[in-house]
């Protein structure tokens, strides 16, 4: 259903179910979910005015905004005519004019399967240049996606110098921002800071991956210092896999001015006459239940709309990387498959090192691009492994890095022009001293990359899982495919090409599970997840550091997306030694897997992992689809961290408690739970049981009210089990 409404005095409501609806009443456009409203004034002939984003307002209350003294800011400020502050769009018209003056031309509404959409069409007062502002409100989740479509109706090309997805003003006050920073092996670290005068720019210019050093998502706590389970919070996520920026500007205005979109630095875009460009979506949510409330909104939206197979349980897997690195061979893979199967695992993934003919992949210096099996390592090929997995009763997965090549490869010898590099300059090489990036903007490269997956899946249809890696940043700007006057489009074309390939893969292989890996956690973003089931959180599998990384990552991403593996000690990145139980208990809070050599484990350790896998299976639906409540933050330095997942109907919950510091005479707090039904009784059963005396509350029942207002005291004392990195996982079952 599509309707074009020239904003006028009548009201129209699009409402196909109880919640999402777009209402147009006079000049006012209200975009609503069950608990959120975004309201814009769209008077024809004037700039669009931003009135409200936050709690759901009834039509009467939305009307009252007019008399509440609320200021109306331009909902999409543009450069060059009257706007003196930062703006969302900058262009140069064909005649050299650098100004824009956009006013409302009309409003239309539309309804999709899962959402209602408002479109406010803006047109330049003089030029045939159009910008459509879209706002999509989901019916089943509190999330509104905002994006723009830019249309050049002029007779000459228009250069886009800045083209943000959306502008969001947030009333000043004691507003704090929570966002994620990091680097390789330390991804997803949380930082919380009050918004101060000046500009906070969160950006990424890697070119290929975009979530190592910063994340394209933020949360804003509107009532002062961020709190997990109380207070008003706005969450925003830019759904893009490439270079981005989120700017938060605080100056003499009453509003923090937030702009988010593709980072246009070295990345201008030319729109030929008649051409249009759609920006990535900025997803917005509001919750009055604190940061965890906003996270629950992100997680529900992600599982229902933004992650591949968001409703499908994730398998428990063993990945070969930390167990054998490049030392792949057939008996070794067979042994690992047998071992994970014997522990109750469901999938084995063969990582890097299985390919290359003329140049076998013995280490990271060669072979990317040559996706043929190394017959010396695997005489019976992939088929032999798929058959072995079948025999062991598990599924089989395989690692590829399809966007990349090594200069030492048959592919590079054949197609040196396929790589990204500035013309006439030395080839900039990455990992292994010879890695290069394929130019995904080139359709021939797109066919090649699609062909890698298609070739594997056609020959071995029983491959169940692909780990798709990407280990290089763009180090030299240049494409031999793009014409000279379009070189600045390299980054955008790259990600459009990647999206086109992913579309083709998903059209043909809708059931395949695909992990987004990018030197660890370089691809944790909502630009990539619609095609991918999960991401590798980090190459750092140290359980202690993972608590911090997974805590931050959980602000925006649900547990089904967070690949979280039990690894060996000393840890291969930080060399920390932690007890197996602690490693298991951390991994069990995400999508559980293993990343080690089982043959190096003792029979006791194998038995412990087997039991833990069985335990995880018993609570998998709660962990993977439940509502998150973060309870004690590792960033608060209280000696512990704790969180829980509750089933939507509150009939079950899984509670995690990790001791992260070990100081004599320290007194970590007793944790109060959250998210339970206060009036129901919950029986407590420990999972991944620690050896020794059972917990005093094992098998006993407590009311939800008691658990949330008083809580359970975790045992403490001075034994080997209770000091150090001790941990507990409790299953709560309503009676
Ligand atoms: C980087 C990934 O993050 C690792 O998990 C592993 O797959 C290696 N690449 C393989 O080269």
């Amino acid at each position: 259903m599509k309707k074009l409404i020239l904003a006028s005095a009548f009201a129209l409501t699009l409402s196909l179910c109880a919640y999402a609806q777009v209402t147009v009443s006079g000049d006012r456009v209200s975009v609503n979910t069950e608990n959120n409203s975004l309201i814009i004034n769209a008077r024809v002939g004037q700039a669009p005015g931003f009135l409200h984003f936050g709690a759901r307002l009834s039509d009467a209350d939305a009307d009252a905004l007019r008399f509440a003294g609320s200021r109306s800011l331009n909902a999409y400020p543009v450069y060059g005519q009257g706007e003196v502050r930062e703006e969302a769009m900058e262009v140069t018209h064909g005649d050299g004019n650098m100004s824009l003056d956009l006013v409302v031309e009309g409003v239309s509404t539309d309804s999709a399967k899962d959402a209602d959409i408002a479109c406010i069409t803006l047109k330049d007062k003089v030029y045939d240049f159009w910008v459509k502002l879209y706002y999509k409100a989901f019916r089943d989740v509190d999330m509104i996606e905002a994006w723009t479509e830019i249309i050049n109706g002029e007779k000459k090309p228009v250069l886009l110098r800045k083209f943000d997805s959306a502008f969001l003003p947030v009333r000043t006050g004691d507003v704090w921002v929570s966002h994620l920073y990091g680097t390789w092996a330390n991804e997803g670290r949380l930082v919380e800071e009050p918004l101060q005068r000046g500009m906070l720019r969160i950006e990424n210019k890697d070119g290929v991956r975009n979530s190592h050093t910063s994340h394209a998502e933020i949360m804003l706590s509107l009532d002062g210092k961020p709190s997990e389970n109380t207070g008003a919070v706005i969450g925003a996520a830019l759904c893009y896999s490439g270079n981005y920026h989120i700017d938060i500007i605080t100056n003499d205005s009453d509003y923090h001015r937030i702009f988010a979109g593709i980072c246009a630095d070295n990345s201008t875009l030319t729109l030929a006459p008649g051409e249009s460009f759609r920006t990535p979506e900025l997803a917005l949510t509001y919750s009055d239940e604190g940061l965890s409330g906003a996270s629950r909104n992100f997680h529900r939206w992600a599982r229902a709309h933004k992650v591949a197979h968001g409703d499908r349980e994730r398998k428990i897997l063993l990945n070969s990387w930390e167990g054998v690195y490049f030392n792949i061979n057939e008996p070794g893979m067979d042994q690992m498959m047998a071992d994970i199967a014997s522990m109750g695992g469901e999938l084995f993934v063969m990582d890097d090192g299985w390919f290359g003919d003329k140049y076998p992949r013995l280490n990271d210096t060669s072979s990317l691009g040559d996706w043929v099996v190394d017959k010396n390592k695997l005489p019976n090929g992939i088929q032999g492994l798929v058959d072995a997995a079948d025999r062991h009763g598990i599924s089989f997965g395989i690692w590829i890095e399809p966007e990349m090549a090594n200069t030492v490869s048959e592919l590079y010898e054949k197609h040196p022009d396929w790589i990204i590099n500035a013309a006439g300059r030395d080839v900039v090489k990455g990992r292994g001293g010879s890695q290069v990036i394929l130019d995904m903007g080139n359709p021939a490269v797109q066919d090649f990359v699609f062909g890698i997956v298609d070739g594997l899946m056609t020959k071995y249809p029983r491959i169940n899982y692909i780990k798709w890696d990407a280990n290089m940043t763009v180090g030299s700007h240049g494409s031999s495919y793009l014409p000279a006057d379009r070189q600045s489009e390299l980054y955008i074309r790259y990600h459009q090409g990647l999206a086109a390939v992913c579309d083709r893969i998903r059209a043909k292989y809708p059931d395949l599970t695909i992990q987004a890996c990018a030197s660890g956690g370089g691809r944790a973003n909502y630009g990539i997840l619609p095609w991918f089931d999960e991401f590798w959180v980090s190459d750092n599998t140290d359980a202690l550091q993972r608590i911090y990384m997974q805590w931050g990552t959980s602000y925006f991403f649900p547990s089904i997306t967070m690949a979280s593996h039990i690894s060996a000690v000393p840890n291969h990145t930080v060399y920390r030694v932690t007890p197996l139980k602690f490693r298991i208990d951390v991994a069990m809070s995400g999508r559980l897997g293993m990343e080690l050599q089982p043959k190096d484990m003792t029979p006791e350790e194998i038995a412990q992992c087997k039991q833990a896998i069985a335990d995880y299976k018993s609570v998998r639906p709660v962990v993977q689809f439940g509502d998150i409540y973060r309870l004690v933050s590792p960033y608060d330095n209280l000696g512990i961290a704790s969180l829980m997942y509750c089933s939507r109907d509150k009939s079950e919950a899984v509670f995690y408690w990790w001791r992260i510091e070990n100081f004599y005479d320290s007194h970590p707090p007793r944790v109060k739970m959250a998210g339970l039904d206060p009036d129901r009784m919950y029986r407590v059963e420990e999972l991944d049981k620690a050896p020794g005396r059972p917990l005093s509350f094992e098998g006993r029942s407590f009311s939800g009210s008691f658990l949330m207002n008083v809580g359970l005291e975790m045992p403490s004392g001075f034994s080997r089990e209770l000091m150090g990195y001790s941990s507990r996982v409790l299953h709560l079952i309503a009676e």
Side-chain angles (χ1 to χ4, degrees):
M1 176 183 16
K2 185 159 190 159
K3 288 211 179 339
L4 180 68
I5 305 151
L6 284 181
S8 66
F10 70 90
L12 174 129
T13 300
L14 260 185
S15 175
L16 296 184
C17 84
Y19 302 125
Q21 53 174 328
V22 170
T23 62
V24 181
S25 172
D27 298 330
R28 196 197 67 229
V29 181
S30 299
V31 182
N32 303 309
T33 65
E34 182 180 1
N35 300 297
N36 294 179
S37 287
L38 187 149
I39 300 175
I40 293 201
N41 189 319
R43 174 167 293 193
V44 171
Q46 291 189 1
F50 194 99
L51 292 176
H52 170 82
F53 175 65
R56 168 82 191 243
L57 298 186
S58 66
D59 278 354
D61 284 347
D63 260 347
L65 280 173
R66 284 188 292 158
F67 313 110
S70 316
R71 288 187 253 314
S72 166
L73 280 81
N74 189 333
Y76 197 76
V78 292
Y79 179 75
Q81 181 80 354
E83 184 63 62
V84 291
R85 297 172 190 273
E86 287 290 319
E87 68 305 295
M89 178 169 278
E90 298 170 1
V91 309
T92 305
H93 299 279
D95 61 3
N97 191 320
M98 288 175 62
S99 70
L100 275 176
D101 193 0
L102 298 178
V103 294
V104 175
E105 180 85 4
V107 177
S108 63
T109 58
D110 201 356
S111 61
K113 189 167 85 0
D114 45 13
D116 296 329
I117 302 165
C119 171
I120 301 173
T121 299
L122 311 179
K123 184 187 170 303
D124 189 89
K125 275 186 175 167
V126 174
Y127 287 84
D128 198 3
F129 184 84
W130 303 70
V131 174
K132 293 183 172 186
L133 307 180
Y134 285 93
Y135 301 95
K136 174 176 181 180
F138 287 90
R139 293 198 199 97
D140 55 347
V141 289
D142 281 317
M143 194 67 69
I144 295 172
E145 293 177 0
W147 71 93
T148 68
E149 191 187 349
I150 307 157
I151 303 152
N152 177 16
E154 300 177 29
K155 299 216 158 46
K156 289 186 178 166
V158 173
L159 181 70
L160 305 184
R161 293 180 285 112
K162 190 172 187 211
F163 36 94
D164 283 342
S165 295
F167 166 59
L168 178 72
V170 171
R171 187 66 172 81
T172 50
D174 191 9
V175 179
W176 287 56
V177 62
S178 306
H179 59 106
L180 307 179
Y181 73 96
T183 184
W184 172 80
N186 189 29
E187 294 89 338
R189 294 295 291 237
L190 178 67
V191 60
E192 295 178 329
E193 50 189 319
L195 290 179
Q196 311 272 14
R197 292 275 173 137
M199 176 163 92
L200 173 66
R201 168 164 268 227
I202 298 168
E203 66 173 13
N204 188 287
K205 297 185 184 180
D206 178 286
V208 174
R209 310 83 44 93
N210 72 9
S211 58
H212 277 124
T213 53
S214 61
H215 262 248
E217 307 88 29
I218 56 169
M219 286 205 197
L220 299 163
S221 296
L222 309 183
D223 303 325
K225 196 169 175 353
S227 154
E228 279 296 348
N229 292 302
T230 55
V233 174
I234 287 177
L238 186 75
C239 308
Y240 191 53
S241 55
N243 295 355
Y244 62 80
H245 79 103
I246 300 177
D247 293 341
I248 307 177
I249 296 141
T250 305
N251 52 25
D252 56 334
S253 143
D254 281 340
Y255 288 83
H256 302 287
R257 296 159 59 82
I258 303 172
F259 297 90
I262 291 176
C263 176
D265 294 1
N266 301 308
S267 206
T268 54
L269 198 59
T270 301
L271 285 190
E275 253 184 357
S276 64
F277 181 74
R278 185 194 196 278
T279 65
E281 311 90 62
L282 180 70
L284 296 167
T285 189
Y286 169 84
S287 169
D288 57 12
E289 295 176 13
L291 297 163
S292 286
S295 296
R296 291 192 287 278
N297 291 351
F298 275 117
H299 297 180
R300 287 174 192 156
W301 162 75
R303 288 191 299 256
H305 306 284
K306 226 59 186 178
V307 173
H309 312 119
D311 57 354
R312 194 161 86 183
E313 277 191 6
R314 274 38 179 171
K315 289 184 175 150
I316 299 160
L317 63 87
L318 170 66
N319 186 72
S320 69
W321 181 242
E322 286 186 38
V324 298
Y325 298 103
F326 293 99
N327 299 326
I328 302 279
N329 59 61
E330 204 169 282
M333 297 297 97
D334 191 64
Q335 161 251 312
M336 287 181 114
M337 286 192 251
D339 288 340
I340 185 63
S342 77
M343 285 185 269
E346 299 151 326
L347 168 68
F348 172 73
V349 182
M350 176 173 66
D351 209 287
D352 200 349
W354 59 267
F355 52 94
D357 179 20
K358 180 173 168 190
Y359 304 104
R361 177 85 165 168
L362 304 176
N363 49 44
D364 62 8
T365 60
S366 71
S367 327
L368 294 173
D370 299 349
W371 301 104
V372 288
V373 77
D374 179 347
K375 284 277 185 190
N376 291 319
K377 290 181 176 181
L378 301 169
N380 291 300
I382 308 287
Q383 192 57 51
L385 299 175
V386 172
D387 290 344
D390 252 10
R391 273 199 311 279
H392 296 299
I394 58 173
S395 305
F396 179 77
I398 193 166
W399 177 96
I400 52 175
E401 194 177 356
E403 298 151 73
M404 305 287 160
N406 286 109
T407 50
V408 185
S409 71
E410 293 185 66
L411 179 73
Y412 185 74
E413 285 170 354
K414 223 162 125 194
H415 297 290
D417 55 320
W418 276 9
I419 67 159
I420 287 181
N421 210 80
R425 297 198 181 273
D426 290 346
V427 172
V428 171
K429 299 170 192 168
R431 187 180 183 204
S434 70
Q435 185 158 337
V436 287
I437 306 173
L438 297 178
D439 183 1
M440 292 296 290
N442 180 343
V445 171
Q446 291 166 25
D447 286 345
F448 172 76
V449 172
F450 171 73
I452 297 166
V453 175
D454 194 35
L456 282 169
M457 294 306 296
T458 309
K459 276 204 225 127
Y460 318 107
R462 292 212 307 286
I463 290 179
N464 179 268
Y465 177 108
I466 282 181
K467 176 173 175 179
W468 179 307
D469 208 343
N471 289 300
M472 196 171 159
T473 186
V474 174
S476 172
H477 188 135
S479 158
S480 32
Y481 171 73
L482 290 171
D485 59 350
R486 296 255 180 180
Q487 287 291 313
S488 71
E489 295 175 16
L490 176 136
Y491 293 114
I492 292 171
R493 301 288 169 222
Y494 187 98
H495 289 274
Q496 286 178 332
L498 178 61
V501 169
C502 290
D503 275 343
R504 285 169 73 183
I505 291 171
R506 279 304 178 201
K508 195 157 175 194
Y509 304 105
D511 286 337
L512 182 65
T513 302
I514 315 180
Q515 180 189 78
C517 176
S519 306
R523 275 193 172 156
N525 66 65
Y526 282 114
I528 207 88
L529 281 171
W531 299 285
F532 288 73
D533 300 64
E534 60 176 31
F535 52 83
W536 183 221
V537 176
S538 178
D539 277 346
N540 186 344
T541 52
D542 168 53
L544 179 65
Q545 207 164 336
R546 274 295 184 112
I547 289 177
Y548 289 83
M549 292 190 276
Q550 294 179 189
W551 188 272
T553 307
S554 80
Y555 271 43
F556 306 100
F557 299 97
S559 60
I560 48 164
T561 60
M562 289 201 279
S564 177
H565 295 181
I566 304 163
S567 61
V569 287
N571 175 265
H572 82 151
T573 310
V574 297
Y575 301 100
R576 198 188 323 275
V577 176
T578 52
L580 178 58
K581 174 165 169 54
F582 186 74
R583 284 175 274 144
I584 291 173
D585 289 355
V586 172
M588 273 175 93
S589 67
R591 195 281 283 134
L592 176 66
M594 301 185 84
E595 186 85 25
L596 41 63
Q597 172 54 279
K599 81 170 181 210
D600 295 341
M601 295 165 79
T602 64
E604 293 74 29
E605 288 173 332
I606 295 268
Q608 192 176 344
C609 287
K610 188 173 177 176
Q611 183 58 50
I613 287 173
D615 285 354
Y616 183 81
K617 285 180 182 168
S618 74
V619 293
R620 178 159 44 187
V622 186
V623 178
Q624 297 196 350
F625 305 109
D627 282 336
I628 194 167
Y629 290 82
R630 286 179 300 262
L631 305 170
V632 179
S633 169
Y635 293 89
D636 286 346
N637 298 319
L638 295 169
I640 57 165
S642 178
L643 59 78
M644 63 194 288
Y645 299 103
C646 298
S647 65
R648 216 48 205 280
D649 65 1
K650 300 185 185 292
S651 64
E652 257 187 290
V654 183
F655 168 87
Y656 297 84
W657 182 93
W658 303 289
R659 186 159 187 143
I660 58 176
E661 254 176 18
N662 189 25
F663 286 108
Y664 186 79
D665 195 26
S666 68
H667 305 278
R670 181 164 171 158
V671 181
K672 293 176 182 168
M673 299 188 186
L676 301 171
D677 182 339
D679 300 325
R680 290 172 88 169
M681 296 297 290
Y682 292 90
R683 195 177 67 257
V684 179
E685 286 176 7
E686 186 178 11
L687 302 175
D688 184 27
K689 270 201 187 81
R693 231 171 353 126
L695 293 165
S696 60
F697 35 80
E698 174 73 20
R700 296 193 181 275
S701 299
F702 302 86
S703 71
S705 171
F706 179 89
L707 294 169
M708 293 194 289
N709 293 314
V710 182
L712 302 174
E713 194 74 83
M714 294 303 136
S716 64
F718 307 106
S719 66
R720 205 182 164 82
E721 284 73 38
L722 299 179
M723 294 300 283
Y725 298 104
S726 66
S727 54
R728 301 285 171 177
V729 183
L730 307 179
H731 186 193
L732 311 178
I733 308 133
E735 295 179 324

